[in-house]
Structure formats: structure tokens, C-alpha cells
Amino acid sequence: MSFISAREHGAKPGSGGPASAQNEAIDRRERLRRLALETIDLSKDPYFMRNHLGQYECRLCLTLHTNEGNYLAHTQGKRHQQNLAKRAAREAAEKAAAPAPQRRAPIRRTVKIGRPGYRVTKQYDPSAQQRSLLFQIEYPEIEENAKPRHRFMSAYEQRVEAADKAFQYLIFAAEPYEHISFKIPNAEVDRADGKIFSHWDPDNKVFSLQFYFARLRDHGMQPSNMLLQSEPAIPPPPMPPLGAIPPPPMVPPSQGAPMAVTGPTGGPLAATVGITVPPLGCMAQPPGVRQGFLAPPPLPTSSF
């Protein structure tokens, strides 16, 4: 190529002619590689990995590279940037769909000062036929602006005693006092309006809780002996009068005919020959003999 032709194509004398598009791309990647080596730390790149063959891999695009510069040039390319945008969009969608993590309250480490005083009162409502318990817990040194708490716990949640399905536990808690629990019958608690209520007296520092047990008859169960045995039981219905139910007929062991058969009035209807049976109202029964039956005759006595 002559000097004139070189000037016509825009190249300087001695430069060997203008660079092609391929040469320009190679030069651009080399400049990007040098710039990336100066500004990017490969130890913090999560997608950079070196395999057992000594080659470098991009775990995002699954490509192989001969050296670090080649990998850095790849990270500045169009393919790697598109994969980064896709990964960021997918992670944002998954994060929005995932439920928010539950925030757990920190566990407080306080010095306990002992157990509080308490009173338990058993009550019975005859109109509703329900039994209730009233708990009064005293917290004279409770923390300022604090309020006691309570909850019912199953026998299978605790690890102090052997689990018994016939009982449940009622727990009271207030800082800085120790937690206390009461073992109560495992009966259903009536949670209707007015059947369970609590009150905190900030002046006297007394926490009160009262609740009613549901009536066992509503659930087809019989009252249990363990429910407040100190309360008086419901009296049984009165017995019918004596003349309302006639006694059964009496048959002596030595004769086949009945000795006396009573009627509606309580008097005898018939008697055997030689035996007169007075009415039941006039009959005096010796002790230990059922009413309506004749006492056996005394044994004959003999002297030797």
C-alpha cells in the first residue's frame, strides 16, 4: 500500500492500515478486563468459582473461562447482565410471596423474689346448678405499670407431675414473682358472658379471677366426686308413702297357701285357717325384720 492510499483510508503512515471490527472488540474487552481487575474483588463475587482443572466458571451463566481477566470481561457482557436482572426479579417475587417472619419477644432474665399470697374460694350457684372458683392473688411488690396474667394449661403440657387427664392447671404470672399454678378438675369452663371475669386492683395489688364450670348434665356426664367434695350434695327425692306400694305376698316354707295378701287399704284379704293377720298399720315389727313380713315363731324350749 502506498503512502497516498494509506492517507485515503484514514491511517497514519506506518500503522499498517485501519483496525477491523474484530480488532476493536478485542481491544475493548482488554480495556474492560484491566479496569475490572482494578475495581472488582473476585473473592466477594458469589458466582465466581475455580474448578479442579484450574479453569474459572460462572455459576450464574454456566460458562468456562481460562483466566480471571476473561471471567471479568464476561461479567461486563450482555449475557451476564441479563442473567443478573432475571435473578434479581425472581428473588424479589419470592420474597414478596413468602410470609413475614414471626418476631419473638426476648426472654427476660429477672431475679425472682418469691411466691405471692393467694386465696381460693369455692362457690355454688343453685339457680344455674354450676360450681365456680374464685382466685385472689396478692402482688404487693409487682413491677410498676405491670398487670398479672393467667392461662389454663393441659396436664400434658407440664413436666413436673405425671400427666393425669382428670385434671388441668391454672397458671398466674407477674414479675418479679415466681409463677404459681393450681390443679383444678379437667371440666369445661363456661366462657359465656358474665361466667368468667378478672379484675386487677392497682391500689391493693390484688388480682381476682372467677370462672364457672359448665353444667355436666349438658354434656351427658354425671357429677364427679372430685368436684368440690366439701359442697353439700343435692338431696334425693322423698320416698312414696307406705300404702302407695303394696308389699309382695308372703309364702311360708311349710305351706303352699299364702298367709296374707294385702289390698289397696293395707289390710289382709284372706288368711289360712286358725291364723289371723292384723292390718299392716297395727302390726308391730321387731327390730331387724322387714316391714310386710311376719316374724318366724320362737323355737320350743325343753329342759333336761
Side-chain angles (χ1 to χ4, degrees):
M1 179 183 295
S2 64
F3 174 75
I4 302 291
S5 61
R7 293 293 300 269
E8 291 178 354
H9 288 82
K12 294 182 180 180
S15 62
S20 63
Q22 182 179 3
N23 293 336
E24 291 180 358
I26 293 175
D27 185 62
R28 183 179 66 254
R29 286 195 296 269
E30 181 64 21
R31 291 198 307 271
L32 292 175
R33 183 185 68 83
R34 290 196 298 267
L35 180 63
L37 286 175
E38 296 176 0
T39 58
I40 298 177
D41 186 6
L42 291 178
S43 61
K44 299 180 180 180
D45 191 347
Y47 306 113
F48 177 72
M49 183 185 68
R50 184 174 183 177
N51 59 16
H52 63 286
L53 299 177
Q55 298 177 340
Y56 301 96
E57 295 184 11
C58 176
R59 291 190 292 184
L60 179 63
C61 306
L62 302 179
T63 55
L64 293 175
H65 307 277
T66 56
N67 51 45
E68 296 180 358
N70 192 304
Y71 172 78
L72 291 175
H74 162 73
T75 58
Q76 304 301 321
K78 181 178 180 180
R79 179 180 179 182
H80 190 82
Q81 296 298 327
Q82 287 180 348
N83 290 337
L84 284 176
K86 292 180 181 179
R87 173 66 64 87
R90 184 169 63 252
E91 291 179 353
E94 293 177 355
K95 184 178 181 180
Q102 297 182 357
R103 300 182 60 182
R104 301 183 60 181
I107 301 177
R108 296 184 56 184
R109 305 294 182 182
T110 57
V111 179
K112 304 298 181 180
I113 63 175
R115 299 178 182 177
Y118 60 88
R119 284 190 301 272
V120 182
T121 306
K122 305 176 184 179
Q123 298 177 349
Y124 178 74
D125 186 1
S127 60
Q129 297 183 0
Q130 288 181 288
R131 302 179 187 274
S132 67
L133 291 176
L134 172 62
F135 294 89
Q136 294 175 306
I137 316 298
E138 299 179 356
Y139 294 104
E141 299 182 13
I142 192 173
E143 292 183 352
E144 186 177 0
N145 299 328
K147 185 178 179 180
R149 297 165 297 165
H150 74 279
R151 82 176 186 96
F152 294 89
M153 184 178 68
S154 172
Y156 298 96
E157 297 183 51
Q158 53 87 27
R159 297 292 182 270
V160 179
E161 300 179 350
D164 188 355
K165 64 180 181 180
F167 297 94
Q168 60 181 335
Y169 295 86
L170 177 59
I171 302 178
F172 294 90
E175 298 294 342
Y177 289 90
E178 297 180 1
H179 297 184
I180 59 174
S181 63
F182 297 88
K183 191 174 183 180
I184 61 178
N186 190 17
E188 182 180 357
V189 177
D190 191 354
R191 299 185 181 274
D193 294 340
K195 295 297 183 180
I196 176 172
F197 56 90
S198 60
H199 174 69
W200 166 243
D201 188 355
D203 298 330
N204 299 325
K205 308 294 184 180
V206 176
F207 179 73
S208 303
L209 172 67
Q210 184 176 15
F211 61 90
Y212 286 78
F213 290 105
R215 292 189 303 177
L216 300 181
R217 295 180 181 178
D218 297 341
H219 305 280
M221 298 183 297
Q222 297 295 332
S224 176
N225 294 332
M226 66 180 178
L227 288 176
L228 310 180
Q229 297 181 2
S230 61
E231 297 289 344
I234 300 177
M239 296 295 294
L242 181 61
I245 302 177
M250 298 173 292
V251 180
S254 60
Q255 299 180 7
M259 296 180 61
V261 179
T262 59
T265 59
L269 297 180
T272 56
V273 179
I275 300 177
T276 303
V277 181
L280 292 178
C282 303
M283 186 180 298
Q285 300 290 347
V289 179
R290 294 177 55 187
Q291 188 173 8
F293 290 86
L294 293 178
L299 297 177
T301 56
S302 61
S303 59
F304 295 94

